[in-house]
Amino acid sequence: MPGPEALATNEPRLLLDGQNITAIAEPAIQDDKILVPICAIAEKLGAEVNWNKEEGTVYIEKDNTSVLLRIDSHLVSYQKDEKTYILSDVPPMIINERIYVSLNLVRNSLGIEADWDADNNSILIDSSKPVDIEPFFDIKISSVNSGQVITGRTDLQIELPNEEATNAVEIKYLLLDPNTAKGTVIARGNQLTSKYSWIPNLQESGERVLVAALYDSDGRFIAGDSIPVYVAVIPEVSLTGLTQDQIITGTVSIGADTNFVASYVKYEITNLDNNKVTVSSEYDPYGPYTWTPMMYDNGSYAFKVIAYDSNNQAYESQTINAKINVPRKFSLSGVSNGATIDKPITLSYSLNFYISQTEYVLRDPKTGKEEILAQIPYGSYKWFPGPKYSGTKELLVRVKDTRGVVHESNKVSVNLTGTPKLFLEGVGPKQVLTGPVKLKVISNVALDKVNYVLINATTGEKKVVASNQKPQAEYTFTPIQGDEGSWKVQAEGIYSSGKKVLSEEIPVTVYLGKTYSATPVIEKDKFLGLASELARDSWEKTGMSAALQTAQAILETGWGQSVPVDKYNGKISYNLFGIKGSATAGSVISNTWEVYNGVSFRVDAEFRAYNNVNESWADHKSLLLEKERYEPFREVMHDSTLGAWAIRRAGYATDPQYPIKLMRLIKQYNLHELDKIGI
């Protein structure tokens, strides 16, 4: 075929059965390909042509054969003896109010010879020479047959000749609605000929078109195959991890196996001896569910799992019966063997039976002498050993069960320092004090009174802010003008008529100026539009579900109404996802939570700052696309449901309801539409 420069100076002719129809069907050139107006040619041959401009479809029928073309879609539908689909090399396009297609598509659409005569600079279309429909590409879906009924999980794989699509870098398997040529990505990856697994969605049932499409590094379609399938999934759910009549003697890990995409599952455990039924909350359909039965649970049980689709329709597994026969388990917790105790600890226990009385005991291993530290019905005990305790001791817990039988735990050896100690509670290291703060002390000696002191971090000068305070009472310290700057807070405990015990010095900063809090990045009613646009753009580049991205942004920013700003100067970060560190616009100082001496407090932390929300969005997606721990998420990120659970499983969010919240947002605002794709 001549280059575009030659064609520009010597326009080609279009000959239909030897007749020059160039005047009514002038060829066009697009990306070095010769295109011809299909409607004019088909009408000239006596075919019935129906161009629906509103739907962007062209229906051509001749001699009991029909073909359906769609503007800008590679998918072509044929109907003769049976319906077939084929992917064209160039999608039909509108040029000067006419629909143009490639010569190959003319040949396949009308079933007649269409060739380029380079010697005579002519396009030759000969209706007297019928041709069969031939695929445009040598790629073939090999794991699924044309017309196959899909009833559950299905393997997807292609046959790819070595010379075909050498510049392809990604494969996507699409499931399209034949009526709209739109659908969803059901599998994707960079290993072109590898086997992929497709879990059908119950909402995508009936006649469908299965497409295997190859794309280059710029996301352009370069080759593929398409076949008709019929999705008719009869939902099946199986409970995994247990066998019929299994005897359970400890922790059991069970799971669900479904032949469809489940939004969530619930586990139902029934005690057959008393008919008590326990049902779990919404749980990950693709992760394990762990249950640790207690000794009092011993008996006969029935287990089953219930899977729910996106419409909350429930599907139950068969019941598996099992016998719980857990031996008695009892141990001291809260302290490790060989530990040195010089601060308060919380003693507790781990057991699997009911009790009516608990004793925490300190034992001298040399003499065998015991001291009961606490006697309570049940629960933990906070212990801060005083100076009278020193050296190596043993701790144990002794309980009485509901039958009156006494059980003793293992003994844990500990080292006691025997020194007076004082701990200050209410502030933590590097905390910024912007207003009143409640201070309190805890000590292992009987204090007479407490003083609270500020120590200048630069000069070491001390300033007593409160003296002679009651040891058990809280003291509210309110910074005043002149207190601004860097300090160390310390408590002084007075005991035994003048003896002094000091807490550690805790560095803090006092700031009494104006502070700024999180701010909206856009009006609330406009955020959905902004997030959807960013998500769709990212989806086209990365393949990550746009519905999932949008739901994450809504959930994590409160509809764009809570974006970190610098608390001291008000600089906006445009940080939609609360990522710490530094970015294109540096960082902002905002609050984060830490724990010190068992108390949560807020400290300053640097959060990434961007020049706009686009940079923040791209940075967040880079985090998910590059971090090793999100590899399982990347395998299913094209699907919003599978992706929501996978990202939670990878440790992205601690909230167990995070995936459920995302799915609710997706359904409520019909975000699934953002993931619709054509070919």
Side-chain angles (χ1 to χ4, degrees), residues 235-291:
E236 296 178 357
V237 184
S238 300
L239 180 68
T240 63
L242 278 181
T243 57
Q244 197 67 245
D245 299 323
Q246 180 176 332
I247 296 177
I248 300 172
T249 59
T251 299
V252 61
S253 181
I254 55 180
D257 184 23
T258 66
N259 66 343
F260 62 95
V261 174
S263 293
Y264 60 92
V265 296
K266 292 183 178 181
Y267 293 92
E268 184 179 291
I269 303 174
T270 303
N271 186 323
L272 299 178
D273 298 328
N274 58 21
N275 293 321
K276 180 182 178 181
V277 179
T278 302
V279 181
S280 73
S281 59
E282 297 99 333
Y283 213 78
D284 184 353
Y286 310 101
Y289 176 78
T290 301
W291 181 54

Side-chain angles (χ1 to χ4, degrees), residues 198-205 231 233 260-261 310 639 641 672:
W198 165 31
I199 308 175
N201 190 314
L202 294 181
Q203 276 59 59
E204 296 177 330
S205 299
V231 182
V233 178
F260 62 95
V261 174
S310 59
D639 186 285
T641 300
H672 284 296

Side-chain angles (χ1 to χ4, degrees), residues 6 26 34 68 73 88 120 223 242 321 369 387 436 536 540 570 649:
E26 182 181 1
I34 292 182
L68 179 63
S73 174
S88 64
N120 296 300
L242 278 181
N321 294 327
K369 182 180 179 181
R536 183 73 184 185
E540 291 176 351
R649 226 176 294 128

Side-chain angles (χ1 to χ4, degrees), residues 370-567:
E370 293 185 353
E371 177 183 346
I372 297 176
L373 301 176
Q375 187 178 76
I376 54 180
Y378 57 87
S380 58
Y381 170 66
K382 190 172 184 179
W383 182 50
F384 193 178
K388 70 175 183 176
Y389 300 110
S390 63
T392 300
K393 304 293 182 183
E394 292 176 338
L395 289 169
L396 60 96
V397 58
R398 194 175 287 132
V399 299
K400 184 184 294 184
D401 66 23
T402 52
R403 296 175 301 165
V405 178
V406 175
H407 305 274
E408 187 174 291
S409 76
N410 57 308
K411 298 178 181 66
V412 176
S413 177
V414 295
N415 299 309
L416 306 181
T417 59
T419 56
K421 290 286 184 178
L422 180 68
F423 287 91
L424 174 61
E425 296 180 344
V427 292
K430 299 182 180 180
Q431 184 173 351
V432 178
L433 308 183
T434 59
V437 61
K438 293 181 178 180
L439 303 177
K440 188 180 179 181
V441 297
I442 181 171
S443 180
N444 63 351
V445 294
L447 299 176
D448 298 323
K449 57 185 177 179
V450 177
N451 302 324
Y452 293 99
V453 179
L454 288 181
I455 304 172
N456 190 294
T458 303
T459 65
E461 180 182 353
K462 292 186 176 182
K463 175 182 178 181
V464 178
V465 295
S467 58
N468 301 325
Q469 299 295 304
K470 293 181 179 180
Q472 294 79 23
E474 281 186 339
Y475 167 70
T476 300
F477 167 56
T478 303
I480 59 175
Q481 294 297 327
D483 289 339
E484 290 187 293
S486 297
W487 299 87
K488 296 176 183 178
V489 183
Q490 187 178 49
E492 298 177 345
I494 310 301
Y495 70 102
S496 297
S497 301
K499 291 183 180 180
K500 184 183 291 187
V501 57
L502 302 177
S503 74
E504 63 180 311
E505 299 174 353
I506 302 175
V508 299
T509 299
V510 176
Y511 178 80
L512 300 179
K514 181 179 179 180
T515 58
Y516 299 82
S517 56
T519 187
V521 74
I522 194 175
E523 294 91 336
K524 186 175 181 179
D525 59 354
K526 294 180 180 179
F527 184 75
L528 180 58
L530 171 66
S532 298
E533 183 178 345
L534 291 168
R536 183 73 184 185
D537 181 64
S538 173
W539 171 79
E540 291 176 351
K541 296 175 182 176
T542 67
M544 190 185 301
S545 165
L548 182 62
Q549 292 185 54
T550 305
Q552 277 191 287
I554 292 172
L555 185 61
E556 296 184 29
T557 67
W559 293 90
Q561 302 307 290
S562 182
V563 175
V565 300
D566 194 291
K567 65 184 288 186

Side-chain angles (χ1 to χ4, degrees), residues 147-216:
Q148 182 173 324
V149 177
I150 306 299
T151 59
R153 287 177 183 257
T154 303
D155 288 336
L156 300 174
Q157 196 169 22
I158 62 168
E159 292 177 356
L160 180 64
N162 292 333
E163 68 277 3
E164 185 77 15
T166 55
N167 57 335
V169 299
E170 182 183 27
I171 185 169
K172 291 180 183 177
Y173 288 95
L174 317 177
L175 190 68
L176 306 181
D177 184 335
N179 298 313
T180 62
K182 298 291 184 182
T184 56
V185 178
I186 57 174
R188 57 173 295 280
N190 303 118
Q191 303 300 316
L192 306 184
T193 57
S194 291
K195 187 179 293 184
Y196 294 86
S197 181
W198 165 31
I199 308 175
N201 190 314
L202 294 181
Q203 276 59 59
E204 296 177 330
S205 299
E207 293 184 7
R208 289 292 188 270
V209 183
L210 176 62
V211 175
L214 301 182
Y215 298 85
D216 64 15

